[in-house]
Amino acid sequence: MNNDFTSTYEYTVEQKPEGKFRFMKFAFISLYILYPVIFMAILFIIQLFQLFALVAVTEWMLVYFTWKYTKPEYEYSVTSGRVTFSVIHGKRSRKEMLNFAIKDCLQIAPATEREWVERLELYDPELVFSAVASSESPDRYYAAFENEDGKRCVFHFEATEKMLKLCRNYNSSHTVVTKVRY
């Protein structure tokens, strides 16, 4: 195992179907059922039977371009003390959402313990980023910091032993380490 802190560490989690993602799945499935029915009804009313073949093609396009948003993956990587957070949709498109230095964090603590959650509430973040699979994850941590614009930000993430070691290495005075699963 490489213990070099300058190497890149990456961790990826899949979003569990809860909250808005469960609703999105239901809404998209409803759309996928209603769309061809309505499209075919309109074509039948205006008697353009030749265009019925378009229903299958446009339905496929609709599913291909929308279903990927129902189950995103969250990836965070640490390289030389900088955290990069990206969202990956459908294993095809990646969008970088956040980039910050661990040394700039004001607090890195568990988001499952009352004391640290109360401190987070007092911090009153303006921007919140989440890289957790579920709101019920036992390894939820947060990193509180200010971005380049001076806004108070919080990054929620699934902590691993390696990530906590990196956080302690780059910002030991503001990192709280607890036992995690991985």
Side-chain angles (χ1 to χ4, degrees):
M1 181 171 183
N2 187 359
N3 289 329
D4 180 15
F5 285 113
T6 59
S7 65
T8 299
Y9 172 71
E10 293 181 352
Y11 190 72
T12 305
V13 295
E14 281 190 17
Q15 173 66 51
K16 296 213 183 332
E18 64 182 23
K20 78 175 188 178
F21 295 102
R22 180 177 290 160
F23 174 75
M24 283 175 60
K25 281 187 176 188
F26 174 75
F28 281 143
I29 289 171
S30 300
L31 175 67
Y32 302 152
I33 293 169
L34 289 174
Y35 170 76
V37 171
I38 293 170
F39 192 17
M40 289 173 69
I42 291 170
L43 291 175
F44 184 78
I45 290 170
I46 60 176
Q47 296 185 356
L48 285 174
F49 305 111
Q50 306 87 327
L51 297 180
F52 273 26
L54 284 179
V55 174
V57 173
T58 56
E59 175 80 6
W60 173 83
M61 290 173 56
L62 182 64
V63 172
Y64 182 79
F65 288 112
T66 59
W67 188 251
K68 64 183 177 181
Y69 294 106
T70 63
K71 193 170 184 180
E73 291 181 339
Y74 306 117
E75 176 188 82
Y76 65 84
S77 60
V78 180
T79 306
S80 299
R82 291 203 63 84
V83 176
T84 302
F85 165 55
S86 301
V87 178
I88 305 164
H89 292 287
K91 300 190 188 307
R92 294 188 298 254
S93 62
R94 172 187 307 270
K95 182 177 181 185
E96 185 177 309
M97 303 295 289
L98 181 63
N99 193 324
F100 66 94
I102 294 173
K103 67 178 177 69
D104 296 336
C105 291
L106 304 170
Q107 186 71 58
I108 301 171
T112 54
E113 296 180 14
R114 184 175 171 181
E115 173 189 355
W116 303 110
V117 172
E118 289 173 356
R119 288 187 187 194
L120 177 60
E121 289 171 359
L122 290 174
Y123 182 64
D124 192 27
E126 297 172 70
L127 297 173
V128 178
F129 300 92
S130 178
V132 294
S134 170
S135 59
E136 302 301 318
S137 174
D139 296 330
R140 283 178 297 127
Y141 259 68
Y142 70 86
F145 61 95
E146 288 188 5
N147 67 6
E148 303 85 32
D149 301 330
K151 291 186 178 181
R152 293 180 309 278
C153 301
V154 169
F155 172 60
H156 292 273
F157 62 96
E158 299 239 0
T160 62
E161 284 185 33
K162 175 106 181 196
M163 179 61 173
L164 293 177
K165 284 181 185 178
L166 289 167
C167 290
R168 185 186 296 161
N169 183 57
Y170 289 107
N171 192 343
S172 61
S173 62
H174 295 117
T175 301
V176 176
V177 177
T178 60
K179 181 140 178 69
V180 292
R181 294 177 297 170
Y182 305 108

Short mmCIF file of all heavy atoms in Angstrom, two decimals, residues 1-2 18 22 32 34 52 70 76 80 88 101-102 111 121 132 143 154 161-162 178-179:
data_model
loop_
_atom_site.label_atom_id
_atom_site.label_comp_id
_atom_site.label_asym_id
_atom_site.label_seq_id
_atom_site.Cartn_x
_atom_site.Cartn_y
_atom_site.Cartn_z
N MET A 1 0.84 -1.18 0.00
CA MET A 1 0.00 0.00 0.00
C MET A 1 0.88 1.24 0.00
O MET A 1 1.85 1.33 0.74
CB MET A 1 -0.92 -0.03 1.21
CG MET A 1 -1.84 1.13 1.28
SD MET A 1 -3.03 0.83 2.60
CE MET A 1 -4.01 2.25 2.41
N ASN A 2 0.52 2.21 -0.79
CA ASN A 2 1.29 3.44 -0.93
C ASN A 2 0.89 4.42 0.18
O ASN A 2 -0.25 4.84 0.27
CB ASN A 2 1.03 4.04 -2.31
CG ASN A 2 1.91 5.22 -2.60
OD1 ASN A 2 2.72 5.63 -1.77
ND2 ASN A 2 1.76 5.79 -3.77
N GLU A 18 -33.55 7.74 -2.71
CA GLU A 18 -34.32 8.33 -1.62
C GLU A 18 -34.57 9.80 -1.93
O GLU A 18 -33.87 10.41 -2.73
CB GLU A 18 -33.61 8.17 -0.28
CG GLU A 18 -32.29 8.88 -0.18
CD GLU A 18 -31.57 8.67 1.14
OE1 GLU A 18 -31.83 7.66 1.82
OE2 GLU A 18 -30.77 9.53 1.49
N ARG A 22 -35.86 9.35 -5.65
CA ARG A 22 -36.98 8.41 -5.74
C ARG A 22 -38.12 9.07 -6.52
O ARG A 22 -38.74 8.45 -7.38
CB ARG A 22 -37.45 8.00 -4.35
CG ARG A 22 -38.64 7.03 -4.41
CD ARG A 22 -39.06 6.58 -3.05
NE ARG A 22 -38.03 5.71 -2.53
CZ ARG A 22 -37.88 5.43 -1.25
NH1 ARG A 22 -38.68 5.96 -0.36
NH2 ARG A 22 -36.92 4.63 -0.85
N TYR A 32 -42.29 8.33 -19.33
CA TYR A 32 -42.01 7.34 -20.37
C TYR A 32 -43.27 6.58 -20.78
O TYR A 32 -43.37 6.12 -21.92
CB TYR A 32 -40.94 6.34 -19.90
CG TYR A 32 -39.62 6.97 -19.50
CD1 TYR A 32 -38.81 6.34 -18.57
CD2 TYR A 32 -39.20 8.17 -20.04
CE1 TYR A 32 -37.59 6.90 -18.20
CE2 TYR A 32 -38.00 8.74 -19.65
CZ TYR A 32 -37.20 8.11 -18.74
OH TYR A 32 -36.01 8.66 -18.37
N LEU A 34 -46.54 7.95 -20.39
CA LEU A 34 -47.49 8.91 -20.95
C LEU A 34 -47.07 9.48 -22.30
O LEU A 34 -47.92 9.74 -23.16
CB LEU A 34 -47.72 10.06 -19.97
CG LEU A 34 -48.51 9.71 -18.72
CD1 LEU A 34 -48.54 10.90 -17.78
CD2 LEU A 34 -49.92 9.28 -19.09
N PHE A 52 -45.92 7.27 -36.85
CA PHE A 52 -45.93 6.41 -35.66
C PHE A 52 -44.55 5.83 -35.37
O PHE A 52 -44.22 5.55 -34.23
CB PHE A 52 -46.95 5.27 -35.83
CG PHE A 52 -48.35 5.64 -35.40
CD1 PHE A 52 -48.79 6.95 -35.41
CD2 PHE A 52 -49.22 4.66 -34.97
CE1 PHE A 52 -50.07 7.28 -35.02
CE2 PHE A 52 -50.50 4.97 -34.58
CZ PHE A 52 -50.94 6.29 -34.60
N THR A 70 -31.28 10.05 -12.64
CA THR A 70 -31.97 9.48 -11.49
C THR A 70 -31.04 8.78 -10.51
O THR A 70 -31.44 8.51 -9.38
CB THR A 70 -33.05 8.47 -11.94
OG1 THR A 70 -32.42 7.38 -12.61
CG2 THR A 70 -34.08 9.14 -12.83
N TYR A 76 -15.10 11.98 -4.92
CA TYR A 76 -14.18 13.00 -4.44
C TYR A 76 -12.78 12.43 -4.50
O TYR A 76 -12.55 11.25 -4.29
CB TYR A 76 -14.54 13.54 -3.05
CG TYR A 76 -14.46 12.57 -1.90
CD1 TYR A 76 -13.25 12.34 -1.25
CD2 TYR A 76 -15.59 11.92 -1.44
CE1 TYR A 76 -13.19 11.47 -0.18
CE2 TYR A 76 -15.53 11.06 -0.37
CZ TYR A 76 -14.33 10.83 0.26
OH TYR A 76 -14.26 9.98 1.32
N SER A 80 -2.50 16.15 -3.35
CA SER A 80 -1.64 17.16 -2.70
C SER A 80 -2.44 18.11 -1.82
O SER A 80 -2.24 19.33 -1.85
CB SER A 80 -0.88 17.95 -3.77
OG SER A 80 -0.05 17.09 -4.50
N ILE A 88 -21.10 12.33 -11.34
CA ILE A 88 -21.06 11.54 -12.57
C ILE A 88 -22.47 11.03 -12.85
O ILE A 88 -23.07 10.37 -11.99
CB ILE A 88 -20.08 10.35 -12.43
CG1 ILE A 88 -18.70 10.85 -12.01
CG2 ILE A 88 -20.03 9.55 -13.72
CD1 ILE A 88 -17.80 9.76 -11.48
N ALA A 101 -8.95 23.38 -0.69
CA ALA A 101 -7.78 22.87 0.03
C ALA A 101 -8.19 22.42 1.42
O ALA A 101 -8.91 23.15 2.12
CB ALA A 101 -6.70 23.93 0.11
N ILE A 102 -7.72 21.26 1.82
CA ILE A 102 -8.03 20.74 3.15
C ILE A 102 -7.50 21.68 4.23
O ILE A 102 -8.15 21.90 5.25
CB ILE A 102 -7.47 19.32 3.33
CG1 ILE A 102 -8.18 18.35 2.39
CG2 ILE A 102 -7.60 18.84 4.76
CD1 ILE A 102 -7.59 16.94 2.37
N ALA A 111 -20.77 14.15 10.82
CA ALA A 111 -22.10 14.76 10.72
C ALA A 111 -23.14 13.85 11.35
O ALA A 111 -24.34 14.04 11.14
CB ALA A 111 -22.44 15.02 9.26
N GLU A 121 -24.58 23.80 12.42
CA GLU A 121 -25.75 24.68 12.36
C GLU A 121 -25.39 26.11 12.74
O GLU A 121 -25.89 27.07 12.15
CB GLU A 121 -26.87 24.14 13.25
CG GLU A 121 -27.51 22.89 12.70
CD GLU A 121 -28.47 22.22 13.68
OE1 GLU A 121 -28.63 22.73 14.81
OE2 GLU A 121 -29.03 21.18 13.32
N VAL A 132 -22.60 11.98 -0.32
CA VAL A 132 -22.99 10.83 0.49
C VAL A 132 -24.06 10.04 -0.25
O VAL A 132 -24.91 10.60 -0.93
CB VAL A 132 -23.48 11.22 1.90
CG1 VAL A 132 -22.36 11.82 2.72
CG2 VAL A 132 -24.64 12.17 1.82
N ALA A 143 -16.93 18.95 5.89
CA ALA A 143 -15.79 19.86 5.89
C ALA A 143 -16.36 21.27 5.69
O ALA A 143 -16.99 21.54 4.68
CB ALA A 143 -14.81 19.51 4.78
N VAL A 154 -20.10 24.05 2.95
CA VAL A 154 -19.97 22.77 3.64
C VAL A 154 -19.99 21.67 2.60
O VAL A 154 -20.82 21.66 1.69
CB VAL A 154 -21.11 22.55 4.66
CG1 VAL A 154 -21.12 21.12 5.17
CG2 VAL A 154 -20.97 23.50 5.82
N GLU A 161 -11.01 5.64 6.33
CA GLU A 161 -9.80 5.80 7.15
C GLU A 161 -8.73 6.59 6.42
O GLU A 161 -8.09 7.47 6.98
CB GLU A 161 -9.26 4.42 7.56
CG GLU A 161 -10.04 3.77 8.66
CD GLU A 161 -9.41 2.47 9.12
OE1 GLU A 161 -8.16 2.36 9.09
OE2 GLU A 161 -10.17 1.57 9.50
N LYS A 162 -8.54 6.29 5.14
CA LYS A 162 -7.51 6.97 4.35
C LYS A 162 -7.83 8.47 4.23
O LYS A 162 -6.94 9.31 4.36
CB LYS A 162 -7.38 6.32 2.98
CG LYS A 162 -6.43 7.02 2.06
CD LYS A 162 -5.16 6.29 1.88
CE LYS A 162 -4.25 7.07 0.96
NZ LYS A 162 -3.18 6.37 0.43
N THR A 178 -12.94 9.76 13.98
CA THR A 178 -13.67 8.70 14.66
C THR A 178 -13.51 7.42 13.88
O THR A 178 -12.95 7.41 12.79
CB THR A 178 -15.18 9.04 14.77
OG1 THR A 178 -15.71 9.18 13.46
CG2 THR A 178 -15.40 10.31 15.57
N LYS A 179 -14.02 6.33 14.42
CA LYS A 179 -13.93 5.05 13.73
C LYS A 179 -14.96 5.02 12.62
O LYS A 179 -16.11 5.37 12.82
CB LYS A 179 -14.19 3.90 14.71
CG LYS A 179 -14.09 2.54 14.09
CD LYS A 179 -13.42 1.57 15.02
CE LYS A 179 -13.34 0.18 14.46
NZ LYS A 179 -12.45 0.04 13.36
#
